[in-house]
Amino acid sequence: PTADVKYYVTVQSTAVCENVVAQAKVVSVKVKANGVATDIQVDDQAICLGGSVTLNATSAITGAVFTWYSDAALTNRVGTGSS
């Protein structure tokens, strides 16, 4: 779905007849927005050749989980976590 939606499900078998309308199970699906670059705070860094650096990401989004990639197509995952 592209927007929030509710589905209704019933059950039946050789042992029971299908639910009546008032007894259908309601299942809600909430479509969440995709994150955007402005949801992430991380500073660019400069290092000397052969040096190392630790990058630290933060976000105002509760429970944010960070995944780091080495390419713009996001196909080469190099790590997870805030640093």
Side-chain angles (χ1 to χ4, degrees), residues 27-50:
V27 180
S28 297
V29 176
K30 178 162 180 62
V31 178
K32 299 184 289 183
N34 289 338
V36 294
T38 56
D39 291 330
I40 305 164
Q41 291 80 47
V42 62
D43 293 327
D44 293 334
Q45 301 290 324
I47 60 170
C48 294
L49 183 64

